[in-house]
Amino acid sequence: MALHPFRIAGIVLGAFSVVCAAFLLIGLALPATWEAERTARIQAPPDEVFPLLSAASRWEEWTPTPASGVELFGPGAGPGSGRRWDDAAYGEGEFVITSAVPVREVVYEVAVEEGAIRVRGQIELTAVGGDTRIRWRETGDFGWNPLLGYLAGRMGEMQGEQLGLSLDALRRLVEQGVSEPPG
C-alpha cells in the first residue's frame, strides 16, 4: 500500500515541526547568562591607564567598536560617558560608564536591541610597583531568546578571548605612551 504524496508531505512537515519545537524548547531551557574574565599587566602606573578606560570616546582606540551610526553622549569621561550606535555588524545599542573611581575602577553597562541583550562590565586597576594589574570581568544576559541560549554556553569563552585581545591592544597603546587624548 503506497502512501499518497500529500500524506508523506504532512508526515515530513509534522516531523520537522516537532524537531523545530524541541530545538526552541531546549534553547529556552538553556542558561541565557554568561561570564568572562581576563587579567593583564601593563608596564605603566594606573594614572596612565585610567584615562583610556574612563572615557567612552577612548575605547575605540583599543577595543572593537561599531564603525557606523555612532553618537557620543554625556560627559567626556566618568559616569554618564557613553556611546550609542546603529551598525549592521553590532545591531543597535548603547554603552555607558556607570561608575568610575579614579585610577581604581570603571563599571559600565551595554544594552543591545533595546535591552534584549545586556552586558555589565567591571575593570579593576591595581598598582603593582610601577605597573598596573587589570582585572576585566563581564557578565551578560541574552534574555528569553531561545536561539541565543545555544550561544550563551560558549559566550564566556568567546568573549573572554575578545577581552584578552583588547587588553593586549590596551597594553601596546599605553606602553607606547599614548594615554593622553589625541589633539
Side-chain angles (χ1 to χ4, degrees):
M1 171 158 110
L3 291 176
H4 191 276
F6 287 125
R7 184 159 169 85
I8 293 171
I11 291 170
V12 170
L13 184 59
F16 179 74
S17 296
V18 167
V19 169
C20 286
F23 180 80
L24 292 175
L25 286 173
I26 291 169
L28 281 171
L30 292 172
T33 59
W34 54 269
E35 294 182 12
E37 183 175 324
R38 291 295 185 271
T39 60
R41 189 164 176 160
I42 297 177
Q43 295 178 351
D47 63 338
E48 290 183 24
V49 179
F50 187 76
L52 292 161
L53 305 174
S54 65
S57 63
R58 304 291 309 270
W59 281 56
E60 67 189 29
E61 296 176 46
W62 57 272
T63 194
T65 57
S68 65
V70 176
E71 169 196 350
L72 297 173
F73 64 89
S81 177
R83 58 177 50 233
R84 290 184 191 94
W85 63 87
D86 189 0
D87 182 85
Y90 288 84
E92 185 178 333
E94 180 176 284
F95 164 94
V96 64
I97 294 172
T98 58
S99 172
V101 179
V103 305
R104 292 186 44 214
E105 177 185 68
V106 173
V107 178
Y108 62 89
E109 292 182 2
V110 179
V112 180
E113 300 303 331
E114 298 180 2
I117 299 171
R118 296 197 168 277
V119 177
R120 184 173 192 279
Q122 177 183 26
I123 302 174
E124 296 173 342
L125 294 85
T126 305
V128 180
D131 295 350
T132 302
R133 180 182 176 275
I134 295 180
R135 177 181 172 258
W136 188 358
R137 183 170 186 266
E138 278 190 345
T139 58
D141 187 346
F142 286 143
W144 286 93
N145 186 323
L147 300 178
L148 292 178
Y150 288 95
L151 178 61
R154 293 210 50 240
M155 190 64 184
E157 175 187 329
M158 294 183 331
Q159 187 63 7
E161 288 176 19
Q162 185 56 58
L163 296 180
L165 291 171
S166 293
L167 286 172
D168 288 344
L170 178 64
R171 178 187 306 112
R172 286 190 302 275
L173 187 65
V174 171
E175 291 176 0
Q176 292 170 3
V178 188
S179 62
E180 292 302 315

